[in-house]
Amino acid sequence: MADLKKILVAVTGMSPQIVTETLYALHTQHQWLPEEIHVLTTQTGAENIIGSLLGENGFFRRLCAEYALPASRFDTDCIHVIQGETGEPLADIRSPGENNLAADQIVRFIYDLCADEQTELHVSIAGGRKSMGFYIGYALSLFGRRQDRLSHVLVEEAFEQNREFFYPPKHSTPLNTERFGMRDAAKAQVMLADIPFVRMREGMPKLALADNWNFSRAVALTQQSLSDFSLVVDCSSMSIICSGSKPIKLDVQHFSLYKTMAEFKQEGLTCAVGDKQLLERYWKNYCGFKPGWQSHSKQIQEDISKARKEFDKELFLDEKPKMERIFHESKSRIKKKLESHLNDYARYYEIESRGGNSQKQYQLATPKENIQIVGLKKS
C-alpha cells in the first residue's frame, strides 16, 4: 500500500504561531512531517499568517531552514478564510450567525479531506476562537479515520502568547517575556498533547453531506436510528426528500415505481414483481405523471388506451415480463441515485427484497409511519 499523504490542519485566530509551534512539536516529538499545511481562519487571522509566517523571511521558512525540514506546501492557497452569508471574508467571528457559518465551513472542509482515503490528517485545535477548536475536533470525530490524529500544542507559560515567539530556535536567543523577564527562547518547552477522540464513522453508515447540509444536520443524522428516518414523496416535483435532504429528482418511470412502493408500504403491503396489483398501480401512477397524459381530451385518452394495449402486448420482452424489466431497472437506478446523494444511508430508503429467489417480496425499507406522500393533485 502506498504511503498516505500527510496533511496538517489547524484553526487560528490572532496567533499564527500555532502553526510553527505545532509543526516544531510534530517534528521533535513524533518525527511526523506534513506534505501540506492548511489553516482555517478569519480575514484578520489570514493577514497575520501572511505577514509573519509566509515569505522568504517568514517564520515558517525560518523553521524549515533551521531544522532542515523537508518542504511542506504552505502558501496563500492553503489559508482558508471563513466566509459570511454573501461570500465575504469574515474579519472575526462574533455573532451566533457567524459562529454557525464557521461551523458549517469547518465541518465541510474536514469532510472533504477525509473523503480521500489516501490522506492522513493531523488536526490541531490550539488556535482560533474556542468554538472553532470545538468544531474542528467534532468534525474529525464525525469523519475521522483510524490514521487521523487530534492534538493541542502546549507552550511554556513564559512564551505562551508572546508575539515574538514562534518556535524554539536551535541557538540561544534572548527574548523579553515581560512577566518572566529575559528568557532564552531556545530552551522554551513546546509540547504536543495528543487528544483521543471517538471515531463515530466506525461501526455506523458512512455519512455523506449533501450540498445544503450544515453542521447541525450532520450531527442530527449521526444520531438517527432507523425509526427516525423520514421520507417525503413529493408528487409535485417528482422528487423524494430523505430526512430533510436536498430533493432527489426522479424521472417518470422511476418516480412512478417509487410512489407505488411508498403507497404499498403505507398500506402494509409487500409485492412480488409478477403481481397484477403492482402492474396496475404502477400504470395508474405512470399515467398520472407522464407529461400530457392528464388531459381528458378524446385524443389523449385514445393515445393512453393505445399505449396500454402496446404495454400489455409487450408483457414479454426478451423472454421476461415487461413489468419485471421495468421494476428491476428502476430499482437499480433508484438505488444508485440514492447512494450518490446519501452514501451508506441510502439503504434506509431503498426498495428492499425478502425471501428466496422464487418467492421474493419487495417493499420500501422506510417505516410506513415515516412516509409522507405530498403534492397530489385533487381530482
Side-chain angles (χ1 to χ4, degrees):
M1 183 179 174
D3 291 338
L4 300 177
K5 183 179 182 179
K6 296 180 173 65
I7 300 176
L8 171 61
V9 186
V11 287
T12 70
M14 301 300 291
S15 301
Q17 292 93 328
I18 294 299
V19 177
T20 46
E21 290 165 352
T22 301
L23 187 59
Y24 167 85
L26 282 169
H27 168 62
T28 56
Q29 290 180 227
H30 299 283
Q31 293 73 55
W32 191 95
L33 290 170
E35 296 170 54
E36 291 183 7
I37 300 172
H38 290 274
V39 179
L40 295 112
T41 186
T42 59
Q43 180 63 33
T44 304
E47 292 168 359
N48 287 339
I49 291 171
I50 293 169
S52 58
L53 298 188
L54 301 185
E56 288 298 323
N57 200 39
F59 281 96
F60 170 70
R61 184 67 61 88
R62 291 192 209 179
L63 170 64
C64 293
E66 192 167 352
Y67 284 88
L69 304 183
S72 297
R73 181 188 166 222
F74 184 43
D75 50 38
T76 53
D77 290 337
C78 299
I79 302 172
H80 309 276
V81 178
I82 304 298
Q83 297 179 345
E85 288 185 352
T86 58
E88 77 283 5
L90 292 181
D92 199 357
I93 299 171
R94 294 188 176 277
S95 70
E98 291 171 344
N99 202 59
N100 291 337
L101 289 168
D104 296 343
Q105 291 166 53
I106 290 170
V107 167
R108 173 66 62 175
F109 188 80
I110 294 297
Y111 169 79
D112 289 340
L113 286 180
C114 289
D116 183 355
E117 293 296 339
Q118 299 306 309
T119 61
E120 175 183 344
L121 305 187
H122 189 104
V123 174
S124 171
I125 64 169
R129 296 279 185 187
K130 289 183 174 64
S131 58
M132 293 175 70
F134 171 82
Y135 289 134
I136 201 167
Y138 199 96
L140 195 64
S141 189
L142 284 175
F143 310 117
R145 295 77 49 89
R146 289 184 179 273
Q147 66 263 34
D148 300 325
R149 295 291 179 269
L150 186 67
S151 74
H152 187 293
V153 68
L154 303 173
V155 179
E156 182 182 342
E157 186 179 4
F159 301 94
E160 187 179 19
Q161 296 181 349
N162 188 306
R163 294 185 179 276
E164 296 181 33
F165 179 80
F166 286 82
Y167 63 89
K170 275 196 169 185
H171 305 290
S172 180
T173 305
L175 189 65
N176 184 2
T177 66
E178 296 183 4
R179 217 177 128 200
F180 296 88
M182 297 298 295
R183 298 285 294 270
D184 187 356
K187 297 180 180 179
Q189 296 295 307
V190 177
M191 301 152 285
L192 207 62
D194 189 65
I195 302 175
F197 64 95
V198 177
R199 291 165 174 81
M200 287 189 275
R201 69 181 275 164
E202 297 182 5
M204 64 179 291
K206 186 177 178 182
L207 178 62
L209 293 186
D211 291 341
N212 64 332
W213 286 8
N214 57 23
F215 172 76
S216 298
R217 183 80 194 102
V219 173
L221 191 54
T222 62
Q223 296 174 332
Q224 286 181 321
S225 64
L226 176 58
S227 61
D228 294 325
F229 285 89
S230 64
L231 170 65
V232 176
V233 180
D234 187 355
C235 300
S236 63
S237 60
M238 286 201 305
S239 60
I240 56 178
I241 302 168
C242 306
S243 291
S245 70
K246 185 177 180 179
I248 302 170
K249 179 86 172 166
L250 301 178
D251 66 18
V252 174
Q253 177 179 300
H254 302 155
F255 186 78
S256 298
L257 178 66
Y258 198 86
K259 177 174 180 281
T260 297
M261 299 307 295
E263 290 170 343
F264 282 173
K265 189 61 181 275
Q266 286 184 327
E267 295 163 19
L269 302 175
T270 61
C271 67
V273 176
D275 288 351
K276 184 172 178 57
Q277 65 173 345
L278 172 62
L279 187 153
E280 295 299 335
R281 188 77 67 95
Y282 166 79
W283 181 258
K284 178 183 177 182
N285 282 320
Y286 184 83
C287 291
F289 296 111
K290 179 74 172 175
W293 281 20
Q294 290 70 51
S295 170
H296 293 290
S297 72
K298 182 179 179 181
Q299 183 60 53
I300 293 297
Q301 293 306 308
E302 287 178 357
D303 290 344
I304 294 173
S305 177
K306 181 179 178 181
R308 178 57 193 262
K309 286 177 182 177
E310 290 295 317
F311 185 89
D312 290 340
K313 187 170 72 175
E314 296 177 12
L315 280 177
F316 286 87
L317 184 66
D318 297 330
E319 299 182 354
K320 281 188 176 181
K322 187 171 184 181
M323 190 63 222
E324 181 177 341
R325 179 178 62 85
I326 290 173
F327 183 90
H328 288 298
E329 187 271 338
S330 297
K331 177 177 177 291
S332 176
R333 293 289 180 86
I334 291 168
K335 179 179 180 180
K336 287 180 181 178
K337 196 145 195 180
L338 286 169
E339 287 175 343
S340 71
H341 284 77
L342 306 173
N343 217 316
D344 288 357
Y345 284 88
R347 68 189 190 188
Y348 297 120
Y349 305 98
E350 291 171 1
I351 300 171
E352 60 181 9
S353 62
R354 295 180 181 179
N357 288 334
S358 61
Q359 296 179 326
K360 240 173 204 181
Q361 295 285 313
Y362 295 89
Q363 65 175 6
L364 282 190
T366 314
K368 65 179 183 180
E369 60 273 14
N370 292 3
I371 299 174
Q372 282 185 289
I373 300 175
V374 301
L376 292 168
K377 292 181 180 179
K378 296 181 179 180
S379 54

